[in-house]
Amino acid sequence: MPIDQIIPLHHQRLGDGGRHIIFLNGFRMPFETWDKVYPTFCSTNSVVLFNRRGIGRSPKATTAQDGLTVISEMRSLCSLLEVDPPYVLVAHSLGGIFANLYARMYPQDVAGIIFVDATHPQEVEEQKAGKSPFGLGTINSWLKVIEKLSDEFKYSEDECIMQTIEQIRHAGAFPNVPVAVVSGKKKMQFAPDKLFKSHQKYQQSLLQLSPNSKHYPCSESGHFPQITQPQRVISAISDILNETPTPR
C-alpha cells in the first residue's frame, strides 16, 4: 500500500545515508519555508520535510493536535520512510515546542536540535497569562469559535497548546545533546515591544536547555531567519552535524 494511504501527511524524503535530519515547521507554515536551507544537506544526509495536519496538502485534522499526537504521527511517518533515529531536529517557531517534547519523550532518538527563532514553553504560558488590549480578547474568542466551526484549522495545534505544555512539564528531563539557537534580532513592525523583549529573553532560556549550546543571533532577521538569513541557519545545522556521529 502506498505510504500516502497509510500516513497521508504531505512530505518529502530527500537524500540517503549520513545523518537523519527532520525539519519541523512553524505554526501553519508549510515545509517550503525551508527551501533555502535543506538543499545544502541532501547530498550527504537523509532529509525529511513534512506538513502537519491542516497545512498545505496534508489532510485536515480530525482529532485534537496536542504535542503527543503530533510527534506520534511524525515518528510513524519516519518509520514508514525508513529514516531511523537518531535524528537531528531543525525546528522553527512552534515547531520548537514539538522538538522540545520529542527530545524529552525519546531522548535516545535525538542527536541534536537546532531551534530557529523557536518558542519556549514558558513563553507560551506567559503570553496566555497576559491580558489582551481591551476588546481584543473578545474578538479572538469569536474568531476561534468561527474557526472551530468552519475552516481547515479545526482541532488546531493552537487550541491544544496548553495541553502540549503540560505534556512537556510531565515528560522527562531535556537530554544532554548539542543545541543551536538561531534567533531573529530584528523586531517585526507590528510586534509589541513587550512581546519582542519577552521572546528575546526566552531565546536565552533555550540555550539553558543543554550545557552544550551555542547562540546564532541574526541581526537582519525577524521571525524567519531561514528565509532572510539562511546561511546562518545552515551554519548552525552544519555545526551540530559536526558534533554528531554518522549512524552506522
Side-chain angles (χ1 to χ4, degrees):
M1 182 180 294
I3 288 176
D4 286 352
Q5 295 182 24
I6 304 171
I7 298 280
L9 298 181
H10 183 210
H11 64 273
Q12 287 188 21
R13 186 203 190 284
L14 304 159
D16 193 26
R19 284 78 164 184
H20 299 167
I21 308 172
I22 314 298
F23 285 84
L24 291 160
N25 318 330
F27 179 54
R28 299 186 184 177
M29 293 291 110
F31 60 64
E32 286 82 3
T33 55
W34 300 108
D35 280 356
K36 294 182 179 181
V37 175
Y38 73 82
T40 300
F41 303 100
C42 294
S43 61
T44 54
N45 302 280
S46 298
V47 171
V48 175
L49 304 115
F50 70 101
N51 289 330
R52 299 189 294 274
R53 289 187 176 270
I55 307 300
R57 287 161 49 193
S58 288
K60 298 177 183 179
T62 56
T63 58
Q65 296 299 291
D66 61 274
L68 291 178
T69 298
V70 169
I71 65 175
S72 175
E73 201 156 41
M74 182 186 89
R75 282 168 59 83
S76 296
L77 174 64
C78 289
S79 177
L80 288 165
L81 294 174
E82 298 183 346
V83 179
D84 299 322
Y87 303 127
V88 173
L89 303 178
V90 186
H92 174 238
S93 192
L94 183 66
I97 293 290
F98 300 126
N100 196 324
L101 177 61
Y102 190 98
R104 294 169 188 272
M105 295 296 298
Y106 305 101
Q108 71 282 359
D109 288 359
V110 177
I113 299 181
I114 299 88
F115 290 111
V116 182
D117 212 62
T119 307
H120 190 283
Q122 292 177 4
E123 182 178 2
V124 176
E125 292 179 308
E126 183 176 294
Q127 291 180 6
K128 292 289 185 181
K131 295 182 179 180
S132 298
F134 179 76
L136 187 57
T138 302
I139 294 171
N140 284 340
S141 296
W142 278 106
L143 287 174
K144 288 181 182 298
V145 169
I146 294 169
E147 275 196 347
K148 288 180 180 180
L149 291 174
S150 63
D151 77 1
E152 68 266 34
F153 300 118
K154 187 177 182 181
Y155 305 115
S156 167
E157 300 159 350
D158 183 53
E159 296 296 328
C160 306
I161 189 63
M162 296 311 294
Q163 182 179 352
T164 301
I165 300 304
E166 278 296 308
Q167 291 166 352
I168 291 174
R169 182 177 288 113
H170 291 97
F174 193 90
N176 184 6
V177 296
V179 165
V181 177
V182 183
S183 304
K185 304 297 288 184
K186 192 173 183 179
K187 189 175 84 69
M188 293 185 291
Q189 184 177 1
F190 298 106
D193 288 341
K194 183 177 180 180
L195 288 182
F196 177 73
K197 290 177 181 178
S198 174
H199 181 64
Q200 295 301 312
K201 176 184 71 175
Y202 284 114
Q203 292 296 287
Q204 295 298 317
S205 296
L206 288 172
L207 287 165
Q208 303 307 311
L209 289 173
S210 170
N212 183 8
S213 64
K214 184 177 178 181
H215 197 201
Y216 297 77
C218 297
S219 60
E220 299 303 315
S221 295
H223 191 47
F224 292 87
Q226 71 270 40
I227 295 174
T228 50
Q229 289 184 267
Q231 194 56 51
R232 289 290 280 166
V233 180
I234 289 169
S235 294
I237 297 172
S238 297
D239 288 347
I240 294 294
L241 293 180
N242 287 337
E243 297 189 45
T244 305
T246 302
R248 295 182 178 181

